[in-house]
Amino acid sequence: MDVGSTYTKAAKIDLDGARLIRRAEVPTTSATDVLHGLDAAVAAVGGGDELRVCSSAGGGLRLAVIGYEALVTAEAGHRVGLSAGAQVVHVAAGPMSGPGLTRLRAARPDVLLLVGGTDGGDGEVLLHNARRLAAARIRLPVVLAGNADVRDEALAVLTARGVPVTPAANVLPRIGVLDPLPARAAIRDVFLRHVIGGKRLSRGRRFASLVRAATPDAVLAGVEALADRTGFGILVVDVGGATTDVYSALVPDPESETGPRRDVAGTLWRARTVEGDLGVAAGADGTRAAAVAEKLPEPGDDRDLAATAAVVALRRHARGRPGLCDVRLLLGSGGVLRHGGGERVLGAVLSDVAGGWAPPDRARTVIDEQYVLAAAGLLSADHPAVAGELLSNSIRYEM
């Protein structure tokens, strides 16, 4: 189950045969109770023995990143947040001030990712920011993933003032070494424990108990499973009504990890970005504004909007991220693409030679017609073989 801002999608999977039995989608019932739409979608596929749910309803997960230095730990935290299925709505670097706290509150994040310093490096900025957040009585949940040498002290400062904190390993333990998985898991845990219930999408606790991940986190897990199965680089663009998400899973380049081209903030070979201003329904005005800013033709119908959203989202995702020109599979997802607009949308992406990045010239284009990436992602932790087979059976990517 994927409870989106516009539609709730159900995919009934046979675990024994690793195949899609039936799928359905119904309008998301956010105005009343999202469980009404969820139950209707379950009924439309004939029910099942177990429910696995991801959700981006209510705007998904809004994350703020507070780091030590803009080009290193703050950037590393930003990349980790994007990979965790979050819409990063605010990034701050250095010692926080009063105006900085005002800007943080104005961004209306659901969760704060507090990072800073490599292990054994500077710890003063991380401690300063922890004290500032505690003194300001910030009640938002915090994921603390900075310098391990001062983590316990920062944790004590925050918890003493009642701030809910989840500690995790440092996102940047050493210069050039990015460790996203512990913080990504912590952000997911905080999303499930604190955010889903707080969006008032449903009465009672049943919906919160069913949700296992933010939808972009589930889709990224599906993309990772597909990349592991194929062994080559993959690029995915998912155009929705309110947001456009881009996922990339690249083959690691040793020169970029240890050579002179090493990125000091670390290289995230499995990455995701979300563009909260690009879409074909609620995000249509943002797409039109982005077209003007990027000097693209004014979009007309939904397929034009989807193509524009995809082009702008890929430009933003790709700038400063090497290796995308070598991907072998460009996968499109989203309602407009599944309903006949895929060729136009993906064609626009591959022909975009004026956007500041080099589009792949050897990529095969495929549409996720059955919308199985999220389903595979929800299955990948407990049933990795089923997830892989489901992707192979549903997405024809033979080269």
Side-chain angles (χ1 to χ4, degrees), residues 21 40 51 123 179 233 250 259 321 378 396:
I21 300 173
L51 286 181
D179 183 17
L250 306 179
R321 182 173 280 115
L378 285 168
R396 301 301 179 185

Side-chain angles (χ1 to χ4, degrees), residues 158-198:
L158 291 163
T159 55
R161 290 296 187 97
V163 179
V165 185
T166 301
N170 194 349
V171 299
L172 195 75
R174 300 186 305 280
I175 291 294
V177 177
L178 188 61
D179 183 17
L181 295 182
R184 183 171 145 187
I187 292 168
R188 180 169 57 246
D189 181 60
V190 168
F191 173 74
L192 298 178
R193 287 190 288 114
H194 294 282
V195 178
I196 283 291

